[in-house]
Amino acid sequence: QVSLAESGGGSVQAGGSLRLSCTASGGTISRYCMGWFRQAPGKEREAVATIDSEGTASVVNSVKGRFTISRDSGATYLQMNDLLLEDTAKYFCAASSRFGGLRCTGFSSWGQGTQVTVSS
């Protein structure tokens, strides 16, 4: 399994932008589905966006039109624009190797997370 490390979190005012990065070590992510998840205090972790090994991306409705997931050979990114107060959470990167990365379920490798705080 690959090891994942997130970066790029921070504090931003509402309406601002951040770009999260997830770098992998210990292997290539080319045959992994990569996902971004978030967890706010007192709430359950939720999926934000996924991108499979062929580059097919999906984002949850609450961030559609504001967040974009992308990937290259060594990292996965989450571009977050027009941030809202409710986007405040710890964001996690995860990887799934199921079906050569074509099935974005069963994420088995997780990063430690990066905090995103949006203020008014």
Side-chain angles (χ1 to χ4, degrees):
Q1 289 187 349
V2 295
S3 296
L4 305 173
E6 304 93 338
S7 61
S11 297
V12 63
Q13 287 192 320
S17 298
L18 284 173
R19 188 189 194 213
L20 305 183
S21 298
C22 171
T23 55
S25 60
T28 177
I29 60 169
S30 61
R31 291 182 61 78
Y32 283 79
C33 173
M34 302 301 296
W36 284 98
F37 296 75
R38 67 185 180 187
Q39 187 167 21
K43 294 190 176 181
E44 299 211 347
R45 185 174 61 196
E46 64 169 344
V48 175
T50 60
I51 185 165
D52 70 17
S53 56
E54 292 189 343
T56 300
S58 176
V59 297
V60 68
N61 284 340
S62 61
V63 306
K64 198 164 288 186
R66 300 189 297 119
F67 290 13
T68 303
I69 187 171
S70 61
R71 66 187 295 165
D72 59 28
S73 60
T76 306
Y77 308 96
L78 186 68
Q79 178 66 45
M80 305 186 295
N81 298 328
D82 299 321
L83 282 160
L84 305 174
L85 297 179
E86 50 263 42
D87 294 321
T88 294
K90 194 168 188 178
Y91 284 71
F92 298 87
C93 174
S96 169
S97 61
R98 287 191 175 184
F99 297 94
L102 294 176
R103 191 72 60 87
C104 293
T105 59
F107 289 88
S108 56
S109 297
W110 292 83
Q112 295 298 308
T114 185
Q115 179 67 35
V116 171
T117 302
V118 185
S119 60
S120 58

